[in-house]
Amino acid sequence: MSTLKIKNRLYRDKLMLWIVCILAALSVGPLLAILGEVLLRGYDQLSWSFFTEPTPTAYKAMKAIEAGERIPGGIANGIVGTMIMLGMAIVIAVPAGILCGTFLAEHSNSRFAQIVSYLTDLLQGTPSVIIGIITYIWVVVPMKGYSAFAGSVALCIMMLPLIIRSTEETLKIIPASLKEAGLALGGNKARVMLKVQLPAAFGGIFTGILLAISRVIGETAPLMFTALGCSHIRFSVDKPISAVPLLIWEFFNDPNLQELIWGASLFLLLFVLTLNLIAKYLAKKWNQ
Amino acid sequence: MESVTPILEFKKTCVSYTKQTMAVKYVSATIEKNTITAIMGPSGCGKSTLLRAVNLMHNLYPNIRVDGEILLNGENILTMQAIDVRRRVGMVFQRPAPFPTMSIYDNVLSGFTLNGIKLSKAEKDATIEHCLKSVALWDEVKDVLNKKGTFLSGGQQQRLCIARALAMKPDVLLMDEPTSALDPIATKHIEELLLELQKEVTILIVTHNMGQAKRISSKSMFMYLGELVEYSDTETLFSNPVDERTKAYLTGKMG
Ligand SMILES: Nc1ncnc2c1ncn2[C@@H]1O[C@H](COP(=O)(O)OP(=O)(O)OP(=O)(O)O)[C@@H](O)[C@H]1O
Ligand SMILES: [Mg+2]
């Protein structure tokens, strides 16, 4: 090969590298910009009371703004509501999702499993507004009122497909030899699933659960139809309740409270980021 | 040879994966208690398929048909509950497969756990020590019993899998090329071990390694295209094969 050709190729390699770098920067740019914007604007709102006090009334906020003071209060009602609803959704969605995923992985060629699998895909693609409306009809109307329970049902429905899929996929990539080894020792299918296959799949399933949580924690639309919102800290399941993304929407609609948007957004962002980091870390640890 | 009681009998055993073809064709043979029987034959001749019929592994896949009879102590396996059969017939696979989430300790006991059998701490400890000693692994791992089984070397893992199978005190131990993923030293360890173990358990071992068959087995089967071509004392089979196909295989002209 002539030196000219080699030079040419090296040159092309370099060019490719540059193009890839530029494209990468282009796609990372907006991400960093969002993070930076939220951090800059939300940073000075973060204080202890921001996490322990409920939302101020518009009047109080207006007074504070007039006096040139920091807006009092915080987003504690939203955090408590989010946690309660997430907690209930997790309690239902995790066992149900794992069971369903297990079924799909074990009976992948049965007709019923194929239908379920298709429905799971459909559910995953369903816009969250629609899930909100459905939950409104199914839960809010019969129960004659908005409630934390209704909100958690909506979140649960949104989490299910993610958990089902991650369980199914992870179980499917576990070597069949493990299952056979378990059965060869005389175990029945259920015990082998419980003691051998599911533990081996734990990393993947747990990652799926964390991703499902980070997917729904910022959902606003389905909660508007179900949890509605509430201006004080509340722990009851059968009453309307607040949530952090609902608060962001409320803050946006109230000129006096707009300052608070950024603190709340920063909280959500950091929460999701932490979950993702944990998920990554676990996935890595599990693969070793 | 002290005892000549048959423990396992194949009677016209057939296995088919598809409707058109049979992977194992009318195999009939009697396996004596406390012996090592080697199954040899070219790749794809149905050795694994025959072996997996004995612990009803084929039951897991609805399309696979097993016909004929396989008698374990006179009882037809094919009409028994899979769980009962598998408790009495242990299996060691080609690739060592310790359960990755379990410690060495729990791996040895996994047969009990998977059968829902509860043991006292003392019974557990005694089982562990006995089983690991009988696979000559005890000295190497007695201080790391709580480590994951997957930290061990390949040969150690395979011995752990043998210990796991032995813990259930099976009558028959099926081994599908148990040393093919191991180096010569680990292989030698396991061969010595098997010779020791035949006092307790009847072993049916698939091997591609003729030297291995010669070294450890008292009886040998030669299979070809799903048929059991020849079955006799290992010595006879190697020194004086009757069938042309066996001769061809042993002299390296086939396989
Ligand atoms: N799951 C399966 N589905 C369909 N056919 C199969 C399946 N497993 C094995 N076979 C076929 O059955 C025949 C016997 O296979 P088997 O695995 O028993 O051979 P083997 O003697 O163990 O070979 P090797 O020495 O390579 O392990 C082969 O022709 C193979 O193609
Ligand atoms: Mg094989």
Side-chain angles (χ1 to χ4, degrees):
Chain A
M1 208 182 289
S2 71
T3 37
L4 188 70
K5 259 190 184 157
I6 292 178
K7 257 190 188 156
N8 209 342
R9 279 173 65 168
L10 285 177
Y11 174 73
R12 274 213 306 247
D13 274 359
K14 243 187 193 154
L15 192 72
M16 266 319 280
L17 188 69
W18 273 105
I19 293 177
V20 168
C21 284
I22 290 169
L23 288 178
L26 273 180
S27 51
V28 172
L31 287 179
L32 287 179
I34 291 174
L35 207 65
E37 180 90 39
V38 174
L39 247 174
L40 279 179
R41 290 175 179 255
Y43 174 70
D44 36 281
Q45 273 160 26
L46 294 194
S47 67
W48 185 240
S49 62
F50 189 75
F51 297 106
T52 56
E53 285 174 28
T55 341
T57 58
Y59 178 74
K60 266 193 192 157
M62 197 177 74
K63 281 281 175 211
I65 293 170
E66 272 172 8
E69 290 164 8
R70 211 177 143 272
I71 299 181
I75 56 167
N77 49 337
I79 295 178
V80 169
T82 292
M83 292 307 156
I84 287 178
M85 286 191 284
L86 257 184
M88 287 197 291
I90 290 170
V91 166
I92 305 167
V94 167
I98 291 179
L99 274 176
C100 186
T102 306
F103 168 75
L104 291 185
E106 286 295 299
H107 300 270
S108 50
N109 25 10
S110 90
R111 191 93 195 98
F112 181 59
Q114 279 163 4
I115 296 172
V116 173
S117 174
Y118 180 72
L119 289 179
T120 308
D121 281 343
L122 207 67
L123 194 58
Q124 188 155 6
T126 307
S128 55
V129 191
I130 297 179
I131 289 175
I133 297 209
I134 301 276
T135 317
Y136 175 83
I137 297 170
W138 283 356
V139 184
V140 177
V141 174
M143 282 180 58
K144 300 195 172 59
Y146 299 98
S147 63
F149 175 71
S152 68
V153 170
L155 297 187
C156 176
I157 296 176
M158 298 202 60
M159 288 172 78
L160 267 175
L162 286 160
I163 298 176
I164 293 173
R165 274 273 170 267
S166 64
T167 306
E168 183 192 355
E169 301 297 331
T170 323
L171 282 177
K172 275 186 176 166
I173 56 169
I174 290 179
S177 56
L178 274 187
K179 177 182 160 187
E180 290 191 348
L183 291 169
L185 284 165
N188 62 27
K189 280 192 178 171
R191 282 219 187 83
V192 173
M193 178 53 75
L194 213 61
K195 306 268 182 198
V196 177
Q197 289 165 275
L198 282 177
F202 175 80
I205 298 175
F206 197 74
T207 310
I209 294 172
L210 290 184
L211 292 179
I213 294 174
S214 55
R215 153 130 202 245
V216 299
I217 196 172
E219 278 298 338
T220 322
L223 296 183
M224 289 175 165
F225 300 93
T226 51
L228 194 67
C230 171
S231 56
H232 52 271
I233 299 176
R234 197 177 242 172
F235 293 94
S236 44
V237 174
D238 57 342
K239 304 247 170 52
I241 203 165
S242 186
V244 181
L246 279 179
L247 284 181
I248 295 178
W249 175 242
E250 282 166 25
F251 295 157
F252 178 77
N253 284 319
D254 191 328
N256 294 313
L257 295 176
Q258 274 177 7
E259 280 297 297
L260 292 173
I261 288 178
W262 300 104
S265 306
L266 186 59
F267 168 78
L268 267 189
L269 214 60
L270 289 181
F271 197 96
V272 171
L273 209 68
T274 317
L275 280 186
N276 277 307
L277 286 179
I278 295 176
K280 278 244 165 60
Y281 171 77
L282 281 177
K284 209 166 139 195
K285 204 171 164 195
W286 215 256
N287 286 336
Q288 276 168 5
Chain B
M1 213 166 294
E2 322 104 63
S3 61
V4 282
T5 18
I7 185 161
L8 197 64
E9 281 175 82
F10 294 97
K11 289 191 168 174
K12 297 194 175 148
T13 307
C14 304
V15 185
S16 34
Y17 290 101
T18 57
K19 286 220 172 63
Q20 302 84 19
T21 58
M22 274 189 203
V24 168
K25 297 172 194 159
Y26 303 100
V27 168
S28 295
T30 303
I31 311 289
E32 281 161 26
K33 200 170 172 181
N34 297 95
T35 54
I36 299 180
T37 304
I39 308 178
M40 288 177 292
S43 188
C45 69
K47 306 180 295 290
S48 304
T49 307
L50 180 67
L51 206 66
R52 289 163 63 88
V54 182
N55 69 343
L56 297 181
M57 252 346 178
H58 296 313
N59 285 14
L60 298 178
Y61 307 93
N63 294 331
I64 306 179
R65 270 186 65 106
V66 183
D67 294 301
E69 287 179 33
I70 302 174
L71 305 182
L72 177 64
N73 292 321
E75 216 182 331
N76 187 5
I77 283 175
L78 302 180
T79 57
M80 286 166 68
Q81 285 296 317
I83 290 178
D84 296 332
V85 175
R86 292 181 192 140
R87 271 178 217 170
R88 291 161 60 187
V89 180
M91 184 158 201
V92 176
F93 296 83
Q94 182 169 3
R95 312 208 110 263
F99 299 127
T101 53
M102 293 187 195
S103 62
I104 295 173
Y105 191 91
D106 291 334
N107 256 293
V108 179
L109 294 173
S110 57
F112 296 98
T113 328
L114 289 170
N115 281 294
I117 301 170
K118 297 242 169 4
L119 298 180
S120 70
K121 178 83 173 106
E123 283 171 315
K124 283 184 186 171
D125 289 344
T127 310
I128 303 272
E129 188 168 342
H130 175 260
C131 292
L132 289 178
K133 272 185 178 157
S134 66
V135 297
L137 197 58
W138 176 252
D139 291 328
E140 289 157 62
V141 303
K142 64 174 188 278
D143 301 319
V144 291
L145 289 175
N146 287 322
K147 271 202 167 183
K148 294 259 153 60
T150 37
F151 279 111
L152 299 173
S153 75
Q156 289 174 323
Q157 286 188 23
Q158 196 60 302
R159 276 182 281 159
L160 177 60
C161 291
I162 299 174
R164 178 174 77 182
L166 288 178
M168 299 306 292
K169 295 207 184 333
D171 298 331
V172 177
L173 188 59
L174 311 171
M175 311 185 97
D176 195 347
E177 301 179 43
T179 58
S180 65
L182 307 180
D183 66 62
I185 294 173
T187 302
K188 188 160 163 277
H189 269 297
I190 291 195
E191 286 178 3
E192 285 163 1
L193 173 67
L194 296 184
L195 285 171
E196 226 10 70
L197 284 177
Q198 66 177 322
K199 290 177 201 146
E200 297 169 37
V201 57
T202 309
I203 297 172
L204 211 55
I205 179 173
V206 169
T207 178
H208 269 296
N209 182 332
M210 292 183 223
Q212 180 167 67
K214 257 190 212 164
R215 285 192 295 273
I216 61 173
S217 70
S218 51
K219 292 271 197 161
S220 289
M221 294 184 180
F222 172 70
M223 290 183 71
Y224 185 63
L225 296 179
E227 284 174 56
L228 177 57
V229 171
E230 197 158 345
Y231 175 40
S232 60
D233 287 344
T234 303
E235 241 167 80
T236 322
L237 189 113
F238 276 98
S239 60
N240 220 344
V242 179
D243 198 282
E244 283 306 317
R245 292 167 290 182
T246 318
K247 272 182 208 161
Y249 181 72
L250 292 178
T251 50
K253 287 185 190 126
M254 165 174 94

